[in-house]
Amino acid sequence: MRSRTPEDLAGRCPRCFLPLSLCLCAEVPCVTTRTELLIVRHHKETLKSTNTARMAELAVPRCRIVSYGSPGAPFDAAMLEGEDTWLLFPDAHQAPEPGAALPKRLIILDGSWGQARRMVQRVPALRRLPGLKLPPPPPDSRRLRRPPHPDGMSTLEAIAGALAHLEGEQVAEPLYALHERMIERVLASRGRGL
Ligand SMILES: [Zn+2]
């Protein structure tokens, strides 16, 4: 599979997973957010060079990734508990209380749309979280593969969109720019684009 990176990361940057000649690390912004982000990433995403959640974690100090579905490592749903924790998911089961304060912490599911739906089916704690829904992105956005969200966003775009909504465009803008740069580099590593 083209986007799967060899486990030894031969010739690739161990942080951004891009080929060393295209390493993006020096250009990753530091985006300070009020909201804490917890990305629940399907374990099959872990080694993919096209995984945009990795970029979010590099750019946002208050962003952390935990793995879901790793063989022999049960998911600890207790980490989803917490005051003012919402789920970024178009089909969230719960609506926020009318007039509720904005979330202090946002859970983001990272995987294919089917993987994300199954996570919600299998982890009851996800279904108890109030959902944050975003307006769809512009249809002309470039992407590396079929987006994980039915609205057509990569995980990094979805995070940028959520932060634009919660904290303002100035917080989201460096993340959208990072998404563009990542796409350029991945396409360049495949010998086209730029
Ligand atoms: Zn790098």
Side-chain angles (χ1 to χ4, degrees):
M1 201 167 161
R2 194 173 223 170
S3 66
R4 185 169 288 280
T5 301
E7 289 202 32
D8 61 1
L9 286 172
R12 286 182 180 262
C13 169
R15 289 181 82 237
C16 69
F17 279 37
L18 284 159
L20 286 169
S21 61
L22 294 167
C23 167
L24 193 49
C25 290
E27 294 167 56
V28 174
C30 180
V31 179
T32 306
T33 59
R34 191 182 59 235
T35 314
E36 190 185 332
L37 308 175
L38 179 67
I39 299 174
V40 181
R41 179 166 68 186
H42 195 278
H43 75 101
K44 287 185 178 165
E45 287 289 315
T46 307
L47 294 173
K48 290 183 182 174
S49 60
T50 49
N51 182 261
T52 64
R54 180 179 306 111
M55 286 294 165
E57 190 186 41
L58 291 176
V60 180
R62 302 198 73 197
C63 177
R64 189 163 69 92
I65 297 177
V66 293
S67 191
Y68 173 90
S70 308
F75 180 72
D76 178 12
M79 69 179 77
L80 302 173
E81 311 285 342
E83 206 185 339
D84 298 323
T85 296
W86 291 22
L87 177 65
L88 180 62
F89 192 60
D91 282 353
H93 287 236
Q94 308 291 332
E97 300 279 332
L102 292 174
K104 291 191 176 120
R105 195 163 72 125
L106 197 58
I107 310 291
I108 300 108
L109 306 179
D110 182 48
S112 70
W113 176 232
Q115 285 166 342
R117 284 187 70 92
R118 284 193 292 280
M119 285 186 212
V120 173
Q121 283 163 9
R122 288 171 189 170
V123 182
L126 287 173
R127 297 200 293 274
R128 290 195 290 268
L129 297 173
L132 180 66
K133 296 180 190 189
L134 298 176
D140 57 351
S141 302
R142 287 193 299 164
R143 289 183 188 81
L144 295 169
R145 51 188 160 119
R146 272 168 65 85
H149 292 256
D151 293 341
M153 277 181 275
S154 73
T155 297
L156 181 56
E157 282 180 295
I159 287 172
L163 289 170
H165 178 74
L166 296 171
E167 305 193 18
E169 286 291 339
Q170 76 286 355
V171 177
E173 196 281 327
L175 295 176
Y176 283 125
L178 177 62
H179 185 253
E180 280 294 309
R181 245 171 270 138
M182 178 186 175
I183 287 177
E184 285 168 7
R185 297 291 170 92
V186 173
L187 294 182
S189 76
R190 292 175 182 171
R192 55 190 162 97
L194 266 193

